[in-house]
Amino acid sequence: MRIADKFTVVRIIAAPIFFVLYFFPWAGHSAAVSVFVLIPFLAFAEFTDFLDGYFARKFNQVSDFGKLFDPFADVMLHLTTFFCFVLDGYMLPIIFLLIFFREMGMNFVRLVAAKKGVAIGARKGGKFKTVLYVVTGFYYLIWESCFRLNVHVEDCSQVLTIVGFVLSGLCLIASYFSFIDYLVHFKTVLKGEK
């Protein structure tokens, strides 16, 4: 397996590990877990997205596997983190559900294209959406870390809630705009035209 693909696999494995660490029985009672484990762990997992792209370009290892599984790894990690924040009451379930539907729809589009011999690579809209996902994920995780550290944010909780709602709303909007962009750009492939 190429080194770029190994980083992609690391990100896929990191998703369930993050979930376990986030909800492990002692996690909610230990600020150290959040500050010294969860935040660095998520930062490393997100950094592997840069690393797989970097090594793929550096060693000319761009492959159909990478084009298919890199976005799948992103989806696994981001949906897992968002699900944690839904369960903890930070993200609205309806926003998560709509993002989930988009991501499943995009995976279906990739599978249809792959069946026709076309690997759909990342486009600018998809990359921008991913940046918003990352920012939103860290925003909620830092908020949760403050709670675990007993940092009192009650005075600005309304502002924090609004900012979180705006960020997750932007994620939702960007996800569907990029989805439409993919459908338009690859419509000939999806229709079976040459």
Side-chain angles (χ1 to χ4, degrees):
M1 182 180 287
R2 300 172 181 179
I3 187 169
D5 296 335
K6 289 180 180 178
F7 283 117
T8 299
V9 172
V10 166
R11 198 155 63 261
I12 293 173
I13 296 171
I17 293 176
F18 178 87
F19 184 85
V20 170
L21 289 173
Y22 189 93
F23 285 112
F24 203 71
W26 43 261
H29 306 290
S30 174
V33 171
S34 185
V35 176
F36 299 112
V37 178
L38 282 174
I39 292 176
F41 183 80
L42 183 59
F44 169 74
E46 294 290 2
F47 187 55
T48 62
D49 190 20
F50 165 78
L51 291 175
D52 63 26
Y54 171 78
F55 283 105
R57 290 185 296 270
K58 181 179 177 66
F59 298 111
N60 194 26
Q61 295 181 348
V62 177
S63 64
D64 287 346
F65 175 89
K67 288 180 180 179
L68 283 172
F69 281 90
D70 176 62
F72 176 73
D74 290 343
V75 168
M76 282 281 291
L77 182 61
H78 296 142
L79 287 183
T80 299
T81 57
F82 284 176
F83 186 59
C84 291
F85 303 134
V86 169
L87 293 179
D88 259 357
Y90 292 108
M91 178 180 275
L92 292 175
I94 185 63
I95 290 181
F96 172 79
L97 192 61
L98 290 172
I99 289 175
F100 176 83
F101 288 156
R102 181 273 182 197
E103 297 300 346
M104 294 305 101
M106 191 64 222
N107 280 342
F108 176 76
V109 168
R110 291 183 190 279
L111 287 173
V112 170
K115 189 175 180 181
K116 297 179 180 181
V118 177
I120 296 179
R123 290 179 54 76
K124 288 182 179 179
K127 291 179 179 179
F128 177 69
K129 179 247 347 174
T130 298
V131 170
L132 279 174
Y133 280 13
V134 172
V135 170
T136 303
F138 274 105
Y139 175 79
Y140 285 133
L141 183 56
I142 290 171
W143 189 358
E144 171 64 13
S145 298
C146 289
F147 173 76
R148 294 184 185 190
L149 286 165
N150 291 318
V151 175
H152 300 289
V153 292
E154 290 85 359
D155 293 341
C156 55
S157 61
Q158 188 174 4
V159 174
L160 292 173
T161 301
I162 292 172
V163 172
F165 177 76
V166 169
L167 283 173
S168 58
L170 287 174
C171 287
L172 178 62
I173 293 169
S175 70
Y176 277 90
F177 266 105
S178 67
F179 184 52
I180 292 170
D181 176 60
Y182 280 110
L183 292 178
V184 171
H185 188 77
F186 293 98
K187 64 181 179 181
T188 56
V189 174
L190 299 175
K191 288 180 179 180
E193 300 172 8
K194 296 182 178 180

